[in-house]
Amino acid sequence: KALAQTSLAFRTLHDPSSLVSEHEARAFVRVAAPCLTPDLLAGEITRLAASHPKEVSVETIGASFLGKDIRMLSIGHGPQSILLWSQMHGDEPSATPALLDLADFMARNRSQPGIARILEAFTLRMIPMLNPDGALGYQRRNAQGIDINRDALMLTTPEGRLLKSIRDRFSPILGFNLHDQSRRVTVGDSGILSSISLLAVAGDAAGTITPGRLRAKRVASRIVSTVSPFIPGGIARYDEDWNPRAFGDNITAWGTPVVLIESGAFPAGGGFAELTRLNFVALFSILEGLSRNDLAEVSPDVYDGLLRNRADAFADVAITGASILEPRSGKWFE
């Protein structure tokens, strides 16, 4: 039985389909992403730490504006930190369960050589829900009515100050900013809805290609090759315009290159569970490649060749052939 489990773990390192099957069968979090309230998440984090007390540590790193605890999970003991945060927008939950699923998967299979290599190379620091107040109301902004992702300069929000403090405390070599976007965004003019959109975030208005941003592009390219079979044609490149107030842009400028992953349209026949699964598969594949050879064989050209997001191709409601009354004249026109 132990041999069979080791064999399965080995196959999952290189076979995204096996990773999908593993997640379908053994995902740690069974609560649907939109239903994962701050209190339910706290219970899941407690359960995770109890299941793997030697591998997973939990730290309450601060509190939200309304006093909700914000927790960080850590796994691994490597010298290089990687920071992952989700749900800084309270109504963008798809990746939140994936972080706990990822920690559980690696802790369960820690003796497998490929996973042991990840845990020896890196310490993963995960903030599954940066904006618990927003999550509780299923709204984008925090309880102050501020978009945390536009608070990188003023640092008016306690959540924003907390994220910057963690970045400064650990100086991660890579950051993952995990979001949801509109389910109506398309991949360029293809007419295909974008299930995943990616951005290797620039650290200045010129879009300078630093070694760190080049690594971020290779990471994005690896995501494309890993998840494309499950969402054919459904991966786009996010808007690359420099945003001087956004956290991803500034964290990159502060020395931690950021990869933005936006979960969008539901895969055919699927829903939030499939978006969570795509995040789990993508993140593990990245970690495996980084620990093996820093994704040396991956070309940034794959990412550069992605079509851009297009947000105006679909509408929720379309009214055609209607007549409108001009009230002053009493005339109708089409």
Side-chain angles (χ1 to χ4, degrees), residues 54-328:
K54 294 182 179 179
E55 289 77 35
V56 178
S57 63
V58 180
E59 178 183 352
T60 299
I61 53 175
S64 69
F65 186 77
L66 295 182
K68 285 281 187 184
D69 286 345
I70 298 173
R71 295 173 177 85
M72 180 174 71
L73 312 176
S74 297
I75 182 169
H77 46 271
Q80 296 181 311
S81 288
I82 295 177
L83 177 62
L84 307 94
W85 69 95
S86 181
Q87 226 166 334
M88 69 189 310
H89 292 148
D91 57 352
E92 300 180 10
S94 293
T96 296
L99 295 181
L100 277 68
D101 296 340
L102 179 65
D104 172 69
F105 173 69
M106 291 193 296
R108 281 191 286 109
N109 296 285
R110 59 193 176 278
S111 61
Q112 199 284 326
I115 294 176
R117 185 178 64 234
I118 295 171
L119 300 177
E120 289 167 4
F122 306 118
T123 300
L124 308 181
R125 308 186 191 278
M126 307 175 178
I127 307 174
M129 186 181 283
L130 183 65
N131 183 7
D133 297 344
L136 191 61
Y138 209 68
Q139 61 190 25
R140 177 182 178 89
R141 298 169 183 260
N142 78 339
Q144 296 161 276
I146 296 174
D147 183 342
I148 299 170
N149 202 27
R150 299 295 182 267
D151 188 38
L153 297 184
M154 296 297 290
L155 296 175
T156 305
T157 62
E159 300 90 351
R161 292 193 294 271
L162 184 60
L163 181 58
K164 186 178 190 303
S165 73
I166 293 298
R167 206 256 26 127
D168 294 347
R169 175 179 162 191
F170 295 108
S171 297
I173 65 161
L174 195 61
F176 288 91
N177 191 6
L178 306 172
H179 285 263
D180 284 55
Q181 65 181 7
S182 168
R183 314 290 173 207
R184 297 289 185 266
V185 169
T186 62
V187 180
D189 294 325
S190 68
I192 300 173
L193 292 170
S194 174
S195 292
I196 294 289
S197 293
L198 302 168
L199 177 61
V201 182
D204 57 29
T208 303
I209 305 298
T210 62
R213 190 167 182 231
L214 187 61
R215 174 187 283 134
K217 287 191 172 194
R218 294 200 306 271
V219 165
S221 292
R222 177 62 173 258
I223 294 173
V224 175
S225 63
T226 299
V227 304
S228 285
F230 311 109
I231 45 172
I235 305 176
R237 184 154 50 115
Y238 199 79
D239 177 13
E240 289 188 326
D241 292 343
W242 162 253
N243 190 324
R245 296 187 299 132
F247 255 102
D249 304 61
N250 281 282
I251 287 179
T252 297
W254 298 331
T256 295
V258 171
V259 176
L260 171 71
I261 303 178
E262 295 268 357
S263 301
F266 298 140
F272 277 104
E274 283 66 36
L275 291 178
T276 297
R277 190 164 297 127
L278 289 174
N279 278 270
F280 166 80
V281 172
L283 290 171
F284 182 77
S285 177
I286 292 160
L287 295 171
E288 189 278 324
L290 288 171
S291 68
R292 182 164 37 84
N293 62 1
D294 199 24
L295 297 172
E297 80 286 3
V298 178
S299 170
D301 294 345
V302 176
Y303 164 75
D304 287 330
L306 289 173
L307 296 175
R308 295 286 189 97
N309 265 4
R310 182 180 172 190
D312 60 352
F314 283 88
D316 292 310
V317 178
I319 301 173
T320 62
S323 293
I324 300 174
L325 174 66
E326 198 292 305
R328 291 169 297 179

